[in-house]
Amino acid sequence: MPATFNLEPLDISLHIPHHFRCPISLELMRDPVTVSTGQTYDRLTIEAWVATGNTTCPVTRQPLMDFNLIPNHTLRRLIQDWCVANRSFGVERIPTPKQPAEPVLVRSLLRQAASGPYGLRVSSLRKLRSLARESDKNRIVIAANNAREVMMSIAFADVGSDLRHDSLAVLSVLALTEEECVSVGSDPDRIGFLVNLLFHSSIDVRVNSAAVIESVVAGIRSPELRTEISGAEGIFDGIVGILNYPFIHPRGVKVGIKALFALCLAKQHRGRAVAAGAVEALVERLAEVENCGDAERALATVELLCRIPAGCEAFEAHALTVPLLVKVTLKVSGRATEYAAGALLALCSASERAQRDAVAAGVVTQLLLLVQSDCTERAKRKAQMLLKLLRNSWPDAYVVKTEDFAGSDVVLF
């Protein structure tokens, strides 16, 4: 964990040595690095300085001859010693940061992965995979050295399974260009290979394949090509199988939800998602998802599937669907609330039982709060339509007088 500091007490009772502070932020440095002018800064602040288009040294105003950041290990150790010596003042020792992968090392590993003895190629790919999973910075360094082309040339070649699987693992964490997505998505053999891997005995291989499929579908603009990929035989069964994996696998859940959402954007094949068990998988996982982005995608997929009769029927038949949708309303984010309200509107429009379940779960209170909140206008419109739909199902406790909501956005009926 990064060091935490209560700066107000420290400023009063503890003097931080001047050379321990970053010249930009004036805060204690956690990862001091030296630039080409010889000045030292905290890594995050100098990276932010350069990222905004600055090409000069903040202190000397001299042009930066290059943007290499050299770790100042001696200064970092001095800062760590100072932190330990001042523990009684509430200072926590800063951890030793992991350094980004060296471009020279990455290029060497890529060369070894591309050709040479089989064992060395596998070993190099696994080292690249470990580096790629360590940090965003490493992934940027790896991608900048033509890694995607090398990984694709191995993953879709007639080589040993270890090479193909390990190259796919690296490819799964890199952002593909649109051209690369089209190259994979327009080749039935490549898509067929990825779909087959969704049923591999190793859950990691399955998840990596799903991640590449999601990246490809999301990166293609052509709706016709996206529809073609979504129509691949077994693709929904494979993705749903990942979501139904019986053991805890957070990355599998995240990737499975993203892939299912991307595939369900092709409305022609949503019925196949329902037939594969996507409804049951989504409801079960929605109760466990904690990450905001994952919850939003899961709810967006629920709403998409509620737009077809088979999806509505399947969701309505699951006892947890309506209570869960009511529960997440106003609890996760504005987008999540909008998707939940849309799904509830579709379900309640199709089923009186869903209406009764929603009212019993407390949806009226949630909707009344929603229309007065700062949620999106679309969410409010859906809430008002749902309130109108449910007006005959309101219990007596919700019968209110118009003046009770004077000046609000609530539309009473």
Side-chain angles (χ1 to χ4, degrees):
M1 292 288 291
T4 56
F5 304 96
N6 188 335
L7 290 180
E8 189 172 346
L10 287 180
D11 287 342
I12 294 174
S13 59
L14 182 65
H15 172 70
I16 301 176
H18 175 73
H19 57 286
F20 287 179
R21 293 180 182 266
C22 174
I24 300 175
S25 67
L26 300 182
E27 295 180 356
L28 189 68
M29 289 187 281
R30 299 180 181 182
D31 187 6
V33 293
T34 302
V35 298
S36 59
T37 61
Q39 294 294 321
T40 297
Y41 303 92
D42 200 20
R43 182 183 293 275
L44 288 179
T45 53
I46 190 62
E47 285 180 341
W49 169 268
V50 172
T52 55
N54 294 294
T55 59
T56 59
C57 173
V59 171
T60 66
R61 300 297 178 185
Q62 296 175 354
L64 293 172
M65 304 307 294
D66 59 57
F67 297 106
N68 291 327
L69 304 177
I70 310 302
N72 191 328
H73 297 298
T74 300
L75 181 57
R76 175 180 48 77
R77 284 192 287 268
L78 288 172
I79 293 174
Q80 289 175 325
D81 291 343
W82 178 86
C83 290
V84 171
N86 289 280
R87 247 184 318 201
S88 60
F89 292 94
V91 181
E92 295 181 10
R93 182 182 182 276
I94 61 172
T96 300
K98 285 188 175 181
Q99 301 303 320
E102 291 291 337
V104 173
L105 171 63
V106 169
R107 287 192 289 271
S108 174
L109 290 173
L110 286 170
R111 282 195 302 272
Q112 293 170 359
S115 62
Y118 189 87
L120 180 60
R121 295 181 71 186
V122 172
S123 173
S124 300
L125 284 170
R126 290 178 179 173
K127 289 176 182 177
L128 284 167
R129 180 187 62 188
S130 296
L131 289 174
R133 289 182 174 176
E134 274 184 10
S135 67
D136 288 336
K137 293 176 184 176
N138 284 357
R139 288 190 284 275
I140 291 171
V141 173
I142 292 170
N145 284 277
N146 207 30
R148 295 188 304 271
E149 182 178 335
V150 174
M151 294 305 110
M152 288 177 65
S153 70
I154 300 172
F156 299 113
D158 185 14
V159 294
S161 59
D162 285 341
L163 284 176
R164 301 184 84 177
H165 297 165
D166 288 326
S167 61
L168 198 67
V170 177
L171 199 61
S172 72
V173 295
L174 300 179
L176 303 181
T177 65
E178 183 180 2
E179 183 180 356
E180 290 163 343
C181 291
V182 171
S183 171
V184 175
S186 60
D187 187 331
D189 290 337
R190 290 183 170 188
I191 292 298
F193 168 68
L194 292 173
V195 172
N196 285 337
L197 289 183
L198 294 176
F199 302 92
H200 195 273
S201 58
S202 166
I203 184 61
D204 290 327
V205 171
R206 293 159 64 187
V207 171
N208 290 335
S209 180
V212 174
I213 289 173
E214 187 277 331
S215 181
V216 167
V217 175
I220 292 174
R221 296 184 186 181
S222 167
E224 293 79 16
L225 185 51
R226 289 202 303 267
T227 300
E228 185 178 331
I229 297 170
S230 299
E233 188 65 33
I235 195 166
F236 282 107
D237 297 281
I239 298 299
V240 170
I242 291 173
L243 287 174
N244 287 333
Y245 186 67
F247 304 106
I248 297 174
H249 199 292
R251 182 169 178 254
V253 173
K254 177 186 287 290
V255 169
I257 289 173
K258 289 179 68 176
L260 186 59
F261 171 70
L263 293 169
C264 284
L265 289 174
K267 59 184 179 181
Q268 296 91 329
H269 299 300
R270 289 172 191 165
R272 299 179 66 180
V274 175
V279 167
E280 294 80 3
L282 280 170
V283 174
E284 296 298 325
R285 289 308 185 189
L286 193 56
E288 305 169 3
V289 169
E290 296 181 356
N291 179 276
C292 178
D294 296 340
E296 287 178 352
R297 287 191 187 89
L299 289 166
T301 311
V302 171
E303 186 179 14
L304 287 175
L305 294 180
C306 280
R307 294 179 184 177
I308 62 172
C312 261
E313 287 180 18
F315 278 117
E316 195 267 340
H318 199 300
L320 292 179
T321 299
V322 172
L324 271 175
L325 291 175
V326 173
K327 182 180 178 181
V328 300
T329 302
L330 294 175
K331 293 290 179 63
V332 180
S333 68
R335 282 187 178 182
T337 294
E338 181 183 324
Y339 300 140
L344 283 169
L345 180 59
L347 290 170
C348 291
S349 297
S351 165
E352 290 185 0
R353 174 189 162 185
Q355 294 180 23
R356 294 191 298 270
D357 290 346
V359 171
V363 74
V364 175
T365 298
Q366 295 291 76
L367 295 175
L368 291 172
L369 292 171
L370 196 164
V371 294
Q372 297 177 90
S373 71
D374 58 355
C375 280
T376 65
E377 290 303 315
R378 285 191 296 179
K380 292 181 181 180
R381 283 197 300 272
K382 291 175 182 177
Q384 290 179 342
M385 292 170 67
L386 192 49
L387 281 169
K388 184 176 181 179
L389 180 67
L390 296 174
R391 66 184 184 275
N392 293 328
S393 303
W394 288 23
D396 293 340
Y398 289 110
V399 176
V400 294
K401 297 179 180 180
T402 305
E403 56 266 24
D404 292 339
F405 289 91
S408 77
D409 294 325
V410 178
V411 177
L412 298 175
F413 309 99

